[in-house]
Amino acid sequence: MPRACATTCPPERLLRRAVEAGAVRPELEVRDLAAVIIMVLATVRPSDPDGADRRRNLALVVEGLRVSPTTLPPSSRQTPGSAVCEQ
């Protein structure tokens, strides 16, 4: 059963601290972080042994996480600030 995790879920605490520090967009959700990790891992491949493409793609993703004058579209499951952790 899902539980509110503002004080108990490490990814939620990390995200909340980053938002409070002004380091990331305030509308980010924990599930966005999972998607980002999957996207970045998808760029790891043998044809890029020096990691140039991986570094470039990571920079693109990180830039998208930063505070911006525009907001992200709403997610399909949650509204900002209503993240849950699965037990």
Side-chain angles (χ1 to χ4, degrees), residues 19-86:
V19 167
E20 289 170 356
V24 298
R25 296 169 171 266
E27 70 270 20
L28 286 178
E29 300 174 2
V30 171
R31 65 186 282 204
D32 296 325
L33 300 181
V36 165
I37 291 168
I38 291 168
M39 285 185 261
V40 171
L41 289 175
T43 68
V44 177
R45 58 187 189 283
S47 62
D48 182 26
D50 295 329
D53 291 339
R54 183 174 58 251
R55 285 189 299 279
R56 178 182 170 83
N57 291 325
L58 179 60
L60 287 168
V61 168
V62 168
E63 188 61 33
L65 295 173
R66 290 196 176 120
V67 176
S68 173
T70 60
T71 59
L72 298 171
S75 70
S76 63
R77 287 190 349 180
Q78 300 174 331
T79 57
S82 66
V84 294
C85 292
E86 302 296 328

